[in-house]
Amino acid sequence: MIYLTSDIHGDCRTFEKMLHKIRFTKQDQMYILGDAVDKGKENLRLIALIREADNIGLIKGNHEYLCERYLEGIIGASFWDACGGLSTRKEVDVLPESEKEDLAGYLKSLPIYKNIIIGENRYFLTHSGLNADYIVSGEGDAVDIEASVQEAVDHDQEQYLFSNDIHYIPAAVRFDRQIIVGHYPTVLLPDWERPEIYRNRRYTNIDTGNERRRDGGRLACLCLEDGREYYV
């Protein structure tokens, strides 16, 4: 089975509970749609778990990007802290220089998106979804989402990873495949506002607010083959 989750935010124990709940095996595949780090207490333990597993893949989110930029010396501690990176920064700061370089290289190499085909269904997995300033037309009147995202990333990766545009695109806009995202908690979506996976005909949002557990948020997991939803 192919499973998707997102925005774990350093909560390694809850992620491990999710793996147990879905009975995740070596024959399955898990994709994490960004923001594995920041805000939680076990950021680097979670990253280590992901890196050690051949069948768990991480797609870059804006918080992986912030960690990468900090390790490269491009942003400072105060900026990252203000964006929720305090807990990860404290873990990173005590690493030996060789491990910092290794982590920076790993984060820099993370993919921005992943295409998945199951039967006749095409899925585009990414963190934020879309930057509305970069729209590339595909066949017919559909937006070529891969070309659009690649153009946005080539122009400004940071702007793309922080974008919330997917949630405000006019209803008439059609994409050439189903987009699955995280990044923006479903508890904040207008007319939804609950910790459940949000779906419409164009995209699915699986960030159900794990970093907002005190407010009812939780970690979600979606099985692509049968559409089943799991929550911890």
Side-chain angles (χ1 to χ4, degrees):
M1 293 292 188
I2 297 176
Y3 295 97
L4 310 178
T5 191
S6 186
D7 296 78
I8 305 168
H9 284 295
D11 189 356
C12 193
R13 294 184 183 183
T14 296
F15 179 62
E16 289 172 325
K17 289 178 182 178
M18 180 64 79
L19 294 178
H20 178 75
K21 183 169 188 175
I22 66 176
R23 299 181 180 179
F24 190 68
T25 71
K26 292 183 179 180
Q27 285 69 49
D28 298 320
Q29 177 70 48
M30 171 74 76
Y31 292 104
I32 302 169
L33 308 189
D35 286 5
V37 299
D38 289 357
K39 303 182 181 181
K41 297 179 179 179
E42 297 183 304
N43 304 280
L44 295 190
R45 189 165 86 85
L46 178 56
I47 290 294
L49 187 158
I50 294 168
R51 296 184 71 178
E52 289 168 3
D54 294 333
N55 58 340
I56 300 178
L58 176 59
I59 290 172
K60 188 184 293 187
N62 54 295
H63 285 276
E64 282 79 33
Y65 177 80
L66 289 169
C67 183
E68 171 194 329
R69 301 288 274 183
Y70 176 76
L71 289 166
E72 292 177 333
I74 297 172
I75 64 172
S78 60
F79 182 82
W80 191 16
D81 290 357
C83 294
L86 176 62
S87 59
T88 313
R89 181 181 64 77
K90 287 183 176 180
E91 293 183 62
V92 165
D93 281 348
V94 298
L95 291 176
E97 287 302 316
S98 60
E99 293 185 25
K100 290 180 181 179
E101 292 176 6
D102 175 67
L103 179 58
Y106 167 71
L107 296 173
K108 196 172 187 67
S109 72
L110 291 175
I112 301 294
Y113 58 83
K114 175 79 175 178
N115 283 295
I116 297 288
I117 299 176
I118 298 178
E120 297 181 355
N121 298 314
R122 297 197 300 163
Y123 301 98
F124 186 81
L125 317 180
T126 190
H127 182 62
S128 63
L130 187 74
N131 180 338
D133 292 334
Y134 301 92
I135 299 294
V136 179
S137 297
E139 295 183 7
D141 61 350
V143 171
D144 184 328
I145 187 60
E146 181 174 1
S148 299
V149 167
Q150 190 60 60
E151 185 169 323
V153 171
D154 289 344
H155 180 80
D156 191 330
Q157 182 178 165
E158 179 175 320
Q159 187 179 43
Y160 170 73
L161 290 173
F162 278 87
S163 173
N164 293 322
D165 290 354
I166 187 72
H167 308 292
Y168 303 100
I169 295 297
V173 176
R174 186 169 65 88
F175 301 118
D176 64 352
R177 67 204 79 178
Q178 176 75 193
I179 306 170
I180 305 180
V181 303
H183 184 53
Y184 194 75
T186 58
V187 294
L188 301 180
L189 290 176
D191 302 322
W192 188 254
E193 298 178 348
R194 54 184 183 267
E196 298 175 10
I197 291 172
Y198 173 80
R199 312 182 195 218
N200 64 31
R201 66 182 180 84
R202 298 181 302 171
Y203 77 94
T204 298
N205 182 358
I206 63 172
D207 175 9
T208 54
N210 191 54
E211 84 280 13
R212 297 168 178 265
R213 298 187 75 84
R214 292 182 179 178
D215 300 320
R218 51 187 177 166
L219 185 66
C221 181
L222 173 66
C223 179
L224 273 188
E225 278 84 358
D226 59 18
R228 287 188 64 184
E229 301 176 9
Y230 302 84
Y231 298 95
V232 174

